[in-house]
């Protein structure tokens, strides 16, 4: 049975506070996208400015031209003459464009839900696991963590600290094999009636083929503990990565079959357009949803991705 809906957020994590951080991050382009629409006429110059601003925000050429075409059509059809109304139309069009990436992260249909986390070095994997443990626990889920990053003792320690903060158990081995840690964790998760088992892994570049092979092995060994697992294979990407994120997604997807993304550090990036590029690249292929976005370093700084909210933040007035 699906777990109950999450409780209302506390005042300290009101949507306005994290949306504010998201907006502030996304507006670091010097000139904000929303700012383009203030006190100007609706003419070709506005569309040109908008095109550059979207490119600067790393929206990519394909998504930028899709969005601009849709906006021009809308402006013409609806005979929009007011710049603020154009901004609002863009928010709507961008929200619709991003919706392909929106999908709720469902916990409780299988137990334990085994979640494998991968990504390049420093993307925010371990931090996101810590935040996610907090979020899922708040929804009533029993969570177990696996310190699959066995390369560095400090990495293990970092996850153990997140475990302490959340009061959840962390399965770890001294210098052991990461696939073995993951295997133990899935078995322990089942034996202890856990709802979610999250497996951290060491950072790696898609070009480090032996490390990509190791990731495949971790996936295979998890399936030996539970043939249906891992149920979720998440790639954590740094929101500052820009267009390179597309090749990261492709490489990790080919290696381990991704089911979703976590996009971090959106509180400090001017590259929010990247998600529009990801959405454009998802057209006609299996989209890999963005389950969560990271908007800070704190335990509560993880939010579900909501296309309309993101569009509003990116094109804030
Ligand atoms: N501002 C901000 N910082 C973040 C966010 N997510 C992670 N970080 C920071 O990014 C840094 C790296 O985070 P980690 O969680 O250690 O990244 P990792 O992917 O586990 O790194 P490796 O295990 O070394 O590959 C830390 O300083 C985090 O606090 C976020 O959403 N916003
Ligand atoms: Mg880590």
């Amino acid at each position: 049975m699906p777990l109950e809906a999450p409780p209302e957020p506390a005042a300290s994590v009101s949507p306005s506070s994290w949306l504010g951080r998201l907006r502030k991050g996304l507006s670091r382009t010097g000139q904000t996208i929303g700012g383009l629409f203030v006190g100007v006429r609706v003419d070709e110059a506005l569309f040109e400015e908008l095109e550059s601003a979207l490119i600067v925000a790393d929206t990519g050429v394909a998504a930028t031209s899709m969005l601009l075409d849709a906006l021009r059509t809308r402006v013409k059809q609806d005979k929009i003459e007011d710049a603020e109304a154009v901004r609002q139309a863009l928010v709507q069009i961008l929200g619709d464009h991003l919706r392909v990436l929106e999908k709720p992260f469902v916990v409780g249909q299988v137990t334990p839900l085994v979640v494998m986390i991968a990504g390049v070095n420093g993307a925010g994997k371990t931090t996101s696991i810590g935040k996610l443990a907090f979020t899922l626990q708040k929804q009533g889920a029993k969570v177990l963590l696996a310190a699959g990053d066995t390369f560095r003792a400090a990495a293990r320690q970092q996850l153990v600290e997140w475990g302490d903060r959340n009061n959840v158990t962390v399965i770890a081995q001294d210098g052991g094999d990461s696939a073995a840690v993951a295997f133990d964790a899935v078995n322990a998760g089942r034996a202890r009636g856990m709802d979610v088992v999250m497996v951290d892994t060491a950072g790696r570049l898609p070009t480090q083929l032996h490390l990509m092979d190791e990731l495949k092995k971790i996936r295979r060994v998890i399936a030996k503990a539970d043939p249906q697992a891992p149920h979720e294979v998440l790639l954590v990407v740094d929101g500052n990565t820009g267009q390179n994120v597309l090749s990261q997604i492709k490489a990790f997807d080919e290696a381990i079959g991704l089911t979703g993304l976590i996009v971090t550090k959106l509180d400090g990036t001017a590259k929010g357009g990247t998600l529009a590029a990801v959405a454009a690249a998802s057209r006609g292929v299996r989209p890999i949803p963005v389950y969560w976005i990271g908007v800070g370093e704190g335990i509560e700084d993880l939010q579900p991705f909501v296309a309309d909210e993101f569009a509003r933040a990116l094109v804030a007035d």
Side-chain angles (χ1 to χ4, degrees), residues 124-142:
K125 295 176 291 299
T126 308
T127 307
S128 296
I129 289 174
K131 295 173 183 176
L132 204 46
F134 175 80
T135 303
L136 298 178
Q137 249 187 345
K138 223 169 47 175
Q139 295 175 14
K142 284 183 280 181

PDB file of all heavy atoms in Angstrom, residues 124-142:
ATOM      1  N   GLY A 124      26.748  15.389  -5.644  1.00  0.00           N
ATOM      2  CA  GLY A 124      25.815  15.570  -4.530  1.00  0.00           C
ATOM      3  C   GLY A 124      25.077  14.280  -4.183  1.00  0.00           C
ATOM      4  O   GLY A 124      24.008  14.316  -3.579  1.00  0.00           O
ATOM      5  N   LYS A 125      25.662  13.132  -4.520  1.00  0.00           N
ATOM      6  CA  LYS A 125      25.014  11.841  -4.271  1.00  0.00           C
ATOM      7  C   LYS A 125      24.761  11.607  -2.780  1.00  0.00           C
ATOM      8  O   LYS A 125      23.632  11.358  -2.369  1.00  0.00           O
ATOM      9  CB  LYS A 125      25.898  10.679  -4.799  1.00  0.00           C
ATOM     10  CG  LYS A 125      26.074  10.663  -6.302  1.00  0.00           C
ATOM     11  CD  LYS A 125      27.033   9.563  -6.747  1.00  0.00           C
ATOM     12  CE  LYS A 125      28.469   9.820  -6.345  1.00  0.00           C
ATOM     13  NZ  LYS A 125      29.070  11.040  -6.897  1.00  0.00           N
ATOM     14  N   THR A 126      25.849  11.677  -2.000  1.00  0.00           N
ATOM     15  CA  THR A 126      25.737  11.323  -0.583  1.00  0.00           C
ATOM     16  C   THR A 126      24.807  12.298   0.145  1.00  0.00           C
ATOM     17  O   THR A 126      23.948  11.898   0.936  1.00  0.00           O
ATOM     18  CB  THR A 126      27.142  11.299   0.056  1.00  0.00           C
ATOM     19  OG1 THR A 126      27.976  10.452  -0.751  1.00  0.00           O
ATOM     20  CG2 THR A 126      27.108  10.766   1.469  1.00  0.00           C
ATOM     21  N   THR A 127      24.959  13.585  -0.166  1.00  0.00           N
ATOM     22  CA  THR A 127      24.102  14.606   0.452  1.00  0.00           C
ATOM     23  C   THR A 127      22.636  14.360   0.079  1.00  0.00           C
ATOM     24  O   THR A 127      21.745  14.459   0.938  1.00  0.00           O
ATOM     25  CB  THR A 127      24.523  16.007  -0.049  1.00  0.00           C
ATOM     26  OG1 THR A 127      25.920  16.153   0.186  1.00  0.00           O
ATOM     27  CG2 THR A 127      23.776  17.101   0.667  1.00  0.00           C
ATOM     28  N   SER A 128      22.390  14.027  -1.176  1.00  0.00           N
ATOM     29  CA  SER A 128      21.005  13.806  -1.615  1.00  0.00           C
ATOM     30  C   SER A 128      20.402  12.589  -0.916  1.00  0.00           C
ATOM     31  O   SER A 128      19.217  12.588  -0.580  1.00  0.00           O
ATOM     32  CB  SER A 128      20.950  13.612  -3.134  1.00  0.00           C
ATOM     33  OG  SER A 128      21.373  14.787  -3.789  1.00  0.00           O
ATOM     34  N   ILE A 129      21.221  11.559  -0.686  1.00  0.00           N
ATOM     35  CA  ILE A 129      20.731  10.381   0.043  1.00  0.00           C
ATOM     36  C   ILE A 129      20.343  10.784   1.462  1.00  0.00           C
ATOM     37  O   ILE A 129      19.291  10.385   1.971  1.00  0.00           O
ATOM     38  CB  ILE A 129      21.805   9.265   0.060  1.00  0.00           C
ATOM     39  CG1 ILE A 129      21.943   8.673  -1.343  1.00  0.00           C
ATOM     40  CG2 ILE A 129      21.456   8.175   1.075  1.00  0.00           C
ATOM     41  CD1 ILE A 129      23.075   7.669  -1.492  1.00  0.00           C
ATOM     42  N   GLY A 130      21.177  11.610   2.084  1.00  0.00           N
ATOM     43  CA  GLY A 130      20.874  12.093   3.436  1.00  0.00           C
ATOM     44  C   GLY A 130      19.562  12.866   3.470  1.00  0.00           C
ATOM     45  O   GLY A 130      18.715  12.657   4.342  1.00  0.00           O
ATOM     46  N   LYS A 131      19.377  13.743   2.489  1.00  0.00           N
ATOM     47  CA  LYS A 131      18.143  14.545   2.429  1.00  0.00           C
ATOM     48  C   LYS A 131      16.931  13.662   2.137  1.00  0.00           C
ATOM     49  O   LYS A 131      15.858  13.845   2.701  1.00  0.00           O
ATOM     50  CB  LYS A 131      18.246  15.572   1.303  1.00  0.00           C
ATOM     51  CG  LYS A 131      19.307  16.649   1.471  1.00  0.00           C
ATOM     52  CD  LYS A 131      19.329  17.443   0.162  1.00  0.00           C
ATOM     53  CE  LYS A 131      20.372  18.525   0.105  1.00  0.00           C
ATOM     54  NZ  LYS A 131      20.376  19.179  -1.222  1.00  0.00           N
ATOM     55  N   LEU A 132      17.148  12.699   1.243  1.00  0.00           N
ATOM     56  CA  LEU A 132      16.053  11.824   0.829  1.00  0.00           C
ATOM     57  C   LEU A 132      15.622  10.932   1.994  1.00  0.00           C
ATOM     58  O   LEU A 132      14.419  10.674   2.183  1.00  0.00           O
ATOM     59  CB  LEU A 132      16.526  10.981  -0.358  1.00  0.00           C
ATOM     60  CG  LEU A 132      15.494  10.407  -1.310  1.00  0.00           C
ATOM     61  CD1 LEU A 132      14.451  11.431  -1.703  1.00  0.00           C
ATOM     62  CD2 LEU A 132      16.197   9.878  -2.562  1.00  0.00           C
ATOM     63  N   ALA A 133      16.607  10.479   2.768  1.00  0.00           N
ATOM     64  CA  ALA A 133      16.283   9.672   3.955  1.00  0.00           C
ATOM     65  C   ALA A 133      15.367  10.478   4.872  1.00  0.00           C
ATOM     66  O   ALA A 133      14.356   9.972   5.385  1.00  0.00           O
ATOM     67  CB  ALA A 133      17.562   9.272   4.692  1.00  0.00           C
ATOM     68  N   PHE A 134      15.690  11.743   5.038  1.00  0.00           N
ATOM     69  CA  PHE A 134      14.876  12.629   5.884  1.00  0.00           C
ATOM     70  C   PHE A 134      13.454  12.755   5.322  1.00  0.00           C
ATOM     71  O   PHE A 134      12.466  12.571   6.028  1.00  0.00           O
ATOM     72  CB  PHE A 134      15.557  14.006   5.954  1.00  0.00           C
ATOM     73  CG  PHE A 134      14.753  15.037   6.693  1.00  0.00           C
ATOM     74  CD1 PHE A 134      14.754  15.077   8.076  1.00  0.00           C
ATOM     75  CD2 PHE A 134      14.005  15.976   5.991  1.00  0.00           C
ATOM     76  CE1 PHE A 134      14.009  16.034   8.755  1.00  0.00           C
ATOM     77  CE2 PHE A 134      13.259  16.929   6.661  1.00  0.00           C
ATOM     78  CZ  PHE A 134      13.258  16.953   8.047  1.00  0.00           C
ATOM     79  N   THR A 135      13.378  13.047   4.027  1.00  0.00           N
ATOM     80  CA  THR A 135      12.078  13.272   3.374  1.00  0.00           C
ATOM     81  C   THR A 135      11.202  12.024   3.425  1.00  0.00           C
ATOM     82  O   THR A 135      10.018  12.102   3.760  1.00  0.00           O
ATOM     83  CB  THR A 135      12.303  13.671   1.897  1.00  0.00           C
ATOM     84  OG1 THR A 135      13.125  14.833   1.879  1.00  0.00           O
ATOM     85  CG2 THR A 135      11.002  13.966   1.182  1.00  0.00           C
ATOM     86  N   LEU A 136      11.798  10.868   3.120  1.00  0.00           N
ATOM     87  CA  LEU A 136      11.004   9.644   3.062  1.00  0.00           C
ATOM     88  C   LEU A 136      10.588   9.188   4.458  1.00  0.00           C
ATOM     89  O   LEU A 136       9.490   8.682   4.659  1.00  0.00           O
ATOM     90  CB  LEU A 136      11.775   8.535   2.325  1.00  0.00           C
ATOM     91  CG  LEU A 136      12.102   8.865   0.864  1.00  0.00           C
ATOM     92  CD1 LEU A 136      12.897   7.739   0.211  1.00  0.00           C
ATOM     93  CD2 LEU A 136      10.841   9.156   0.056  1.00  0.00           C
ATOM     94  N   GLN A 137      11.469   9.429   5.412  1.00  0.00           N
ATOM     95  CA  GLN A 137      11.127   9.089   6.795  1.00  0.00           C
ATOM     96  C   GLN A 137       9.953   9.935   7.282  1.00  0.00           C
ATOM     97  O   GLN A 137       9.087   9.456   7.990  1.00  0.00           O
ATOM     98  CB  GLN A 137      12.331   9.334   7.694  1.00  0.00           C
ATOM     99  CG  GLN A 137      12.903   8.055   8.220  1.00  0.00           C
ATOM    100  CD  GLN A 137      13.984   8.286   9.240  1.00  0.00           C
ATOM    101  OE1 GLN A 137      14.516   9.383   9.389  1.00  0.00           O
ATOM    102  NE2 GLN A 137      14.329   7.254   9.951  1.00  0.00           N
ATOM    103  N   LYS A 138       9.963  11.193   6.861  1.00  0.00           N
ATOM    104  CA  LYS A 138       8.874  12.095   7.239  1.00  0.00           C
ATOM    105  C   LYS A 138       7.544  11.582   6.685  1.00  0.00           C
ATOM    106  O   LYS A 138       6.493  11.824   7.249  1.00  0.00           O
ATOM    107  CB  LYS A 138       9.170  13.500   6.693  1.00  0.00           C
ATOM    108  CG  LYS A 138       8.879  14.576   7.689  1.00  0.00           C
ATOM    109  CD  LYS A 138       9.408  15.937   7.297  1.00  0.00           C
ATOM    110  CE  LYS A 138       9.098  16.330   5.875  1.00  0.00           C
ATOM    111  NZ  LYS A 138       9.526  17.701   5.565  1.00  0.00           N
ATOM    112  N   GLN A 139       7.630  10.860   5.562  1.00  0.00           N
ATOM    113  CA  GLN A 139       6.414  10.285   4.980  1.00  0.00           C
ATOM    114  C   GLN A 139       6.060   8.955   5.638  1.00  0.00           C
ATOM    115  O   GLN A 139       5.130   8.279   5.219  1.00  0.00           O
ATOM    116  CB  GLN A 139       6.605  10.060   3.471  1.00  0.00           C
ATOM    117  CG  GLN A 139       6.794  11.339   2.694  1.00  0.00           C
ATOM    118  CD  GLN A 139       7.106  11.099   1.217  1.00  0.00           C
ATOM    119  OE1 GLN A 139       6.931   9.999   0.700  1.00  0.00           O
ATOM    120  NE2 GLN A 139       7.572  12.125   0.547  1.00  0.00           N
ATOM    121  N   GLY A 140       6.848   8.543   6.607  1.00  0.00           N
ATOM    122  CA  GLY A 140       6.540   7.322   7.343  1.00  0.00           C
ATOM    123  C   GLY A 140       7.314   6.094   6.897  1.00  0.00           C
ATOM    124  O   GLY A 140       7.045   4.985   7.363  1.00  0.00           O
ATOM    125  N   ALA A 141       8.275   6.256   5.981  1.00  0.00           N
ATOM    126  CA  ALA A 141       9.026   5.107   5.477  1.00  0.00           C
ATOM    127  C   ALA A 141      10.176   4.745   6.415  1.00  0.00           C
ATOM    128  O   ALA A 141      10.804   5.624   7.005  1.00  0.00           O
ATOM    129  CB  ALA A 141       9.566   5.411   4.084  1.00  0.00           C
ATOM    130  N   LYS A 142      10.438   3.441   6.529  1.00  0.00           N
ATOM    131  CA  LYS A 142      11.613   2.975   7.277  1.00  0.00           C
ATOM    132  C   LYS A 142      12.767   2.848   6.289  1.00  0.00           C
ATOM    133  O   LYS A 142      12.642   2.158   5.280  1.00  0.00           O
ATOM    134  CB  LYS A 142      11.322   1.635   7.953  1.00  0.00           C
ATOM    135  CG  LYS A 142      10.450   1.794   9.198  1.00  0.00           C
ATOM    136  CD  LYS A 142      10.220   0.485   9.897  1.00  0.00           C
ATOM    137  CE  LYS A 142       9.137  -0.289   9.190  1.00  0.00           C
ATOM    138  NZ  LYS A 142       8.776  -1.566   9.763  1.00  0.00           N
TER     139      LYS A 142
END
